[in-house]
């Protein structure tokens, strides 16, 4: 019986995690494509799924979120933090140029284009 409850708890934790990840993705309606420059990274320690499921487990998952600047139409400079965090080794380094897309009416809604 204890194994069944553990499996249910794990499945619920994964479902909540996936829901929160999908909820935090901003939708871009009228996308404008351009390039941006990686200015640095914001480091955020997040609890691991394992620590949410196993009582007493205290492990964290270190993620690095790129800080990007880009110029919008009209020459205004914008900075934003990417919605996606990365583990080490990082796929980017400071100074790299990346393709991004942003909302035409609100350039603060932006993301790295895959």
């Amino acid at each position: 019986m204890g194994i069944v409850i553990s499996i249910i708890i794990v499945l619920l934790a994964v479902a909540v995690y996936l829901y929160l990840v999908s909820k935090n993705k901003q939708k871009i309606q009228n996308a404008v494509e351009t390039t941006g420059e990686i200015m640095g990274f914001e480091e955020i320690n997040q609890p691991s799924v394992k620590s949410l499921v196993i009582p007493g487990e205290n492990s964290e998952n270190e993620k690095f979120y790129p800080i990007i600047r880009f110029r919008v139409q009209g020459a205004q400079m914008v900075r934003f933090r990417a919605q996606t965090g990365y583990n080490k080794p990082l796929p980017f380094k400071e100074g790299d140029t990346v393709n991004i897309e942003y909302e035409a009416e609100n350039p603060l809604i932006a993301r790295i284009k895959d």
Side-chain angles (χ1 to χ4, degrees):
M1 184 70 170
I3 293 176
V4 172
I5 292 173
S6 296
I7 291 172
I8 291 171
I9 291 172
V10 168
L11 292 174
L12 285 173
V14 169
V16 168
Y17 174 78
L18 292 174
Y19 170 76
L20 292 174
V21 167
S22 68
K23 182 180 174 188
N24 289 332
K25 298 291 182 184
Q26 292 176 321
K27 308 290 187 274
I28 297 179
Q29 301 297 325
N30 301 316
V32 176
E33 295 183 18
T34 189
T35 58
E37 179 184 357
I38 304 287
M39 301 302 301
F41 296 88
E42 181 177 351
E43 179 182 343
I44 298 177
N45 291 318
Q46 301 169 328
S48 69
V49 173
K50 186 177 180 181
S51 69
L52 296 173
V53 175
I54 301 172
E57 179 71 32
N58 190 20
S59 63
E60 290 187 340
N61 188 10
E62 190 176 56
K63 295 276 189 175
F64 294 86
Y65 292 80
I67 306 296
I68 303 159
R69 75 173 175 186
F70 65 97
R71 196 170 297 281
V72 299
Q73 296 171 346
Q76 177 186 4
M77 190 64 82
V78 175
R79 270 177 74 150
F80 77 99
R81 186 189 83 188
Q83 297 174 356
T84 303
Y86 300 92
N87 295 318
K88 287 189 174 183
L90 300 175
F92 314 108
K93 64 181 182 306
E94 194 170 321
D96 281 355
T97 300
V98 292
N99 294 320
I100 62 165
E101 58 184 8
Y102 65 90
E103 176 69 49
E105 282 74 39
N106 185 359
L108 292 177
I109 299 175
R111 67 176 168 226
I112 297 174
K113 190 165 186 230
D114 296 328

